[in-house]
C-alpha cells in the first residue's frame, strides 16, 4: 500500500525532524507531515534568527535549564543528549560554535544551515517529507493508525506527535497535538505561558533596544543573573524570561546593573572620578544611552553630588525599582508550560502507556525549559528517542 508507512510523524519542528531521522535510521519507512510550507519555522526564529541549536553544558546544567519536569528526561538523555546533538551536526558537515552561557549556534550564524542539515539527513536516510499538509484527524483501528489531512489519508503502525506547544501560533504550533492526546484519552495539564517577556511601568522608550550582559533581576527571594533587553513594552532577554515564572504582575522588581561590584566598590569608583563629568564616569561602567539616562537627574560633575544624591544614584545603579504590570500572553511567550501528562508516557521510549504505538515528543509534552538551547535540546533528544524505539 503506497499510503501505508511504518511510522508517521506529525509536525516538522526540531522534534519531528529528529524523530523522522532516527526512525529512518532504524530502517522504518517514515513519513513526516508539516502544515507550513517549510520545516522548522519556529526553530528558525530562535537565537535571534541564528538558531540556538543546543547548549553544551553538563547533565546538571541541562537539569537546571529545564525547570519544567527536566527529571523526566534522564532516561532520554542517557540515550541521546546535547553532546550527541553536537556530534550529529558536526558529523553531518555543520560547523558549530559555542557562545556565552554554553549556547551553541551554527558557525554561519544562519538557521538555514541547521534546518537544511536536518532536511538533508531525512532525505539521505530515505524518509519522506510532505509540507503544506495540515493534519485534521487521527484515529486508531486495531493496530493501525489513520491520519487525515483535508485531501489525503495515510495509515501507519506507529504515530509520533511532535506538533509543539501553543506559543507563537503563527509558527504553526496551535495545540493540535493536545487535541490528539485528548482524543486518545490522555490527560493534558493546564497550559500556561513560560519564558514570558515582562510588561513594565518604566520609561522604557528612552532605553528601548539597549541590551545588557549579566545583570541581576530580583523579585522577592528570587534573583536571576543573565542578559537583559529593554523593549518598547518592558523587559525581555533571558533574565526577564527566567524571572517571569516568579512574577504575576503588580510587583516591583529590582535591577542591579553591576552585580559584579558591591555598593562600596561602585561608590569608590565614583570617588575616583570626582573631577570628571558624571555621564562620562558612568559610561565607563554602562552603555552610553543607559549612562545618559541614569545621569540625567543628577548634577553634571561627579564631585557636585550631595551625599543624598550619591546614595540615590547608587541605589539606581544597584537596585533600580521597576514596577511590573503583567507579562505577555501564552501566544506571545517563548514557551508553553504544561502539555501531555508525563504520568501517561513511558520515559524510556516516549510511548503512550494508554495507546500502544503512539508517541509524543518535544514541546507538546508537559516539559518546559529556559531559552538558551534547552527547549531545543529537549525537542531534538525526545525526537530521537521517540523515533528510535520500535515495537
Ligand atoms: C521567538 C522564540 C525564540 C525561542 N528561542 C529559544 C532559544 O533560544 N532556545 C530554546 O531552547 N528554545 C527557544 N524557543 C523555544 C523552541 O523554539 C521550542 O521549544 C521548540 O521549537 C519546540 O520544538 P517542537 O519540535 O516540539 O515544536 P515546534 O518547533 O513548535 O514545531 C511543531 C511543528 O508542528 C507543526 N504542526 C502543528 N500542528 C500541525 C498539524 N495539525 N499538521 C501538521 N503540522 C502541524 C507546526 O507547524 C510546527 O512546525 C524559542 C521560541 C520562540 C517562539
Amino acid at each position: 500500500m503506497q499510503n501505508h508507512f511504518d511510522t508517521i510523524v506529525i509536525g516538522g519542528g526540531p522534534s519531528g525532524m529528529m524523530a523522522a531521522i532516527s526512525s529512518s535510521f532504524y530502517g522504518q519507512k517514515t513519513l513526516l507531515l508539516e502544515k507550513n510550507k517549510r520545516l522548522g519555522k519556529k526553530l528558525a526564529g530562535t537565537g535571534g534568527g541564528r538558531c540556538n541549536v543546543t547548549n553544551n553544558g553538563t547533565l546538571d546544567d541541562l537539569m537546571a535549564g529545564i525547570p519544567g519536569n527536566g527529571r523526566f528526561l534522564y532516561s532520554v538523555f542517557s540515550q541521546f543528549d546535547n553532546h550527541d546533538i553536537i556530534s550529529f551536526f558536526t558529523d553531518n558537515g555543520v560547523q558549530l560554535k559555542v557562545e556565552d552561557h554554553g549556547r551553541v549556534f551554527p558557525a554561519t550564524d544562519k538557521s538555514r544551515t541547521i534546518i537544511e542539515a536536518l532536511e538533508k539527513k531525512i532525505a539521505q536516510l530515505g524518509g519522506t517529507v510532505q509540507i503544506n499538509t495540515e493534519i485534521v484527524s487521527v484515529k486508531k483501528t486495531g493496530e493501525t493508525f489513520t491520519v487525515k489531512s483535508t485531501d489525503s489519508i495515510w495509515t501507519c503502525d506507529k504515530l509520533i506527535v511532535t506538533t509543539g506547544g501553543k506559543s507563537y501560533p503563527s509558527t504553526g504550533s496551535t495545540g493540535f497535538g493536545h487535541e490528539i492526546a485528548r482524543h486518545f484519552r490522555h490527560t493534558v495539564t493546564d497550559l500556561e505561558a513560560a519564558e514570558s517577556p515582562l510588561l513594565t511601568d518604566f520609561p522604557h522608550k528612552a532605553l528601548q533596544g539597549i541590551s545588557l550582559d549579566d545583570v541581576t533581576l530580583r523579585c522577592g527571594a528570587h534573583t536571576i543573573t543573565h542578559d537583559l533587553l529593554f523593549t518598547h513594552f518592558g523587559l525581555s532577554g533571558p533574565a526577564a524570561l527566567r524571572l517571569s515564572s516568579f512574577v504575576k504582575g503588580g510587583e516591583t522588581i529590582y535591577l542591579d546593573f553591576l552585580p559584579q561590584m558591591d555598593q562600596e566598590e561602585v561608590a569608590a569608583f565614583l570617588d575616583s572620578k570626582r573631577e570628571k563629568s558624571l555621564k562620562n564616569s558612568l559610561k565607563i561602567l554602562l552603555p552610553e544611552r543607559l549612562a545618559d539616562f541614569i545621569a540625567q537627574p543628577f548634577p553634571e560633575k561627579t564631585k557636585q553630588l550631595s551625599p543624598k544624591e550619591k546614595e540615590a544614584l547608587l541605589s539606581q545603579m544597584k537596585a533600580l525599582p521597576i514596577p511590573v504590570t503583567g507579562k505577555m500572553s501564552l501566544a506571545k511567550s517563548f514557551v508553553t508550560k504544561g502539555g501531555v501528562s508525563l504520568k501517561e508516557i513511558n520515559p524510556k521510549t516516549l510511548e503512550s502507556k494508554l495507546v500502544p504505538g503512539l508517541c509524543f515528543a518535544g514541546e507538546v509534552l508537559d516539559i518546559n525549559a529556559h531559552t538558551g538551547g534547552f527547549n531545543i535540546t529537549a525537542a531534538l533528544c525526545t525526537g530521537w528517542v521517540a523515533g528510535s524505539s520500535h515495537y
Side-chain angles (χ1 to χ4, degrees):
M1 272 197 301
Q2 217 185 350
N3 274 2
H4 183 82
F5 288 80
D6 297 326
T7 299
I8 289 181
V9 183
I10 306 177
S15 193
M17 287 189 272
M18 201 49 124
I21 288 169
S22 70
S23 174
S24 305
F25 176 81
Y26 285 105
Q28 302 295 294
K29 185 185 171 203
T30 303
L31 171 65
L32 172 61
L33 297 165
E34 166 56 50
K35 70 177 169 188
N36 289 331
K37 62 175 191 279
R38 56 198 158 90
L39 300 178
K41 191 171 175 192
K42 184 176 280 186
L43 180 64
T46 65
R50 299 186 301 133
C51 195
N52 182 189
V53 67
T54 189
N55 189 289
N56 85 336
T58 62
L59 184 58
D60 285 347
D61 295 330
L62 290 190
M63 288 301 150
I66 311 178
N69 293 323
R71 282 187 307 167
F72 177 82
L73 295 175
Y74 273 120
S75 178
V76 165
F77 289 149
S78 73
Q79 299 173 64
F80 195 89
D81 68 7
N82 51 335
H83 300 293
D84 294 310
I85 294 174
I86 292 170
S87 305
F88 171 86
F89 284 106
T90 45
D91 291 350
N92 284 287
V94 176
Q95 215 188 322
L96 300 173
K97 59 176 174 174
V98 183
E99 294 193 359
D100 58 326
H101 302 281
R103 296 178 308 150
V104 180
F105 294 90
T108 57
D109 279 332
K110 290 196 173 81
S111 294
R112 287 254 40 98
T113 307
I114 295 296
I115 293 165
E116 279 169 12
L118 292 164
E119 287 172 338
K120 201 168 145 195
K121 195 70 193 174
I122 300 172
Q124 221 176 61
L125 294 167
T128 306
V129 174
Q130 190 156 330
I131 51 170
N132 290 317
T133 304
E134 178 165 10
I135 300 312
V136 293
S137 80
V138 165
K139 66 174 182 180
K140 188 175 187 196
T141 318
E143 301 288 291
T144 306
F145 292 95
T146 303
V147 176
K148 279 189 190 168
S149 71
T150 42
D151 52 12
S152 299
I153 183 161
W154 301 267
T155 54
C156 60
D157 306 321
K158 175 176 170 181
L159 181 66
I160 305 177
V161 180
T162 52
T163 46
K166 267 194 117 169
S167 312
Y168 276 71
S170 58
T171 63
S173 52
T174 49
F176 182 66
H178 305 127
E179 283 178 40
I180 298 178
R182 287 192 195 99
H183 168 80
F184 286 115
R185 304 198 181 285
H186 268 273
T187 310
V188 176
T189 61
D190 288 346
L191 304 180
E192 288 173 41
E195 305 293 303
S196 314
L198 302 178
L199 310 172
T200 63
D201 238 356
F202 186 68
H204 24 74
K205 264 234 163 87
L207 302 179
Q208 198 174 317
I210 294 178
S211 63
L212 302 167
D213 294 340
D214 291 317
V215 293
T216 296
L217 278 183
R218 176 166 62 80
C219 178
H222 304 287
T223 59
I224 309 280
T225 300
H226 215 303
D227 305 342
L228 185 72
L229 175 68
F230 288 100
T231 69
H232 61 288
F233 53 77
L235 300 175
S236 191
L241 300 180
R242 289 178 188 207
L243 198 75
S244 69
S245 27
F246 310 112
V247 171
K248 283 194 159 47
E251 49 284 90
T252 296
I253 61 172
Y254 295 88
L255 170 56
D256 181 350
F257 291 106
L258 299 165
Q260 69 285 9
M261 294 170 84
D262 63 27
Q263 191 142 326
E264 287 69 38
E265 285 173 306
V266 183
F269 169 84
L270 290 173
D271 289 341
S272 74
K273 304 285 177 228
R274 283 183 54 75
E275 298 305 323
K276 284 203 165 224
S277 87
L278 181 58
K279 270 185 194 173
N280 286 339
S281 308
L282 294 183
K283 276 174 201 170
I284 298 170
L285 298 176
L286 302 169
E288 190 165 337
R289 271 170 60 212
L290 180 60
D292 287 347
F293 175 80
I294 291 190
Q296 226 168 31
F298 296 102
E300 202 191 324
K301 289 255 185 224
T302 310
K303 68 178 175 194
Q304 293 166 329
L305 288 169
S306 69
K308 219 172 169 184
E309 284 170 331
K310 193 169 163 193
E311 202 176 305
L313 174 64
L314 286 172
S315 94
Q316 290 254 311
M317 293 167 81
K318 292 295 293 171
L320 180 77
I322 302 179
V324 176
T325 52
K327 48 186 182 178
M328 285 290 189
S329 63
L330 173 56
K332 289 182 178 162
S333 293
F334 286 42
V335 176
T336 303
K337 183 176 175 184
V340 177
S341 171
L342 302 175
K343 289 188 188 132
E344 298 157 359
I345 302 293
N346 180 336
K348 292 198 180 86
T349 58
L350 302 175
E351 189 187 15
S352 157
K353 290 180 185 169
L354 312 182
V355 183
L358 176 66
C359 289
F360 293 91
E363 208 180 312
V364 71
L365 289 166
D366 180 12
I367 293 170
N368 59 282
H370 292 316
T371 55
F374 298 104
N375 293 285
I376 297 164
T377 300
L380 290 169
C381 296
T382 54
W384 176 272
V385 168
S388 68
S389 45
H390 300 290
Y391 318 103

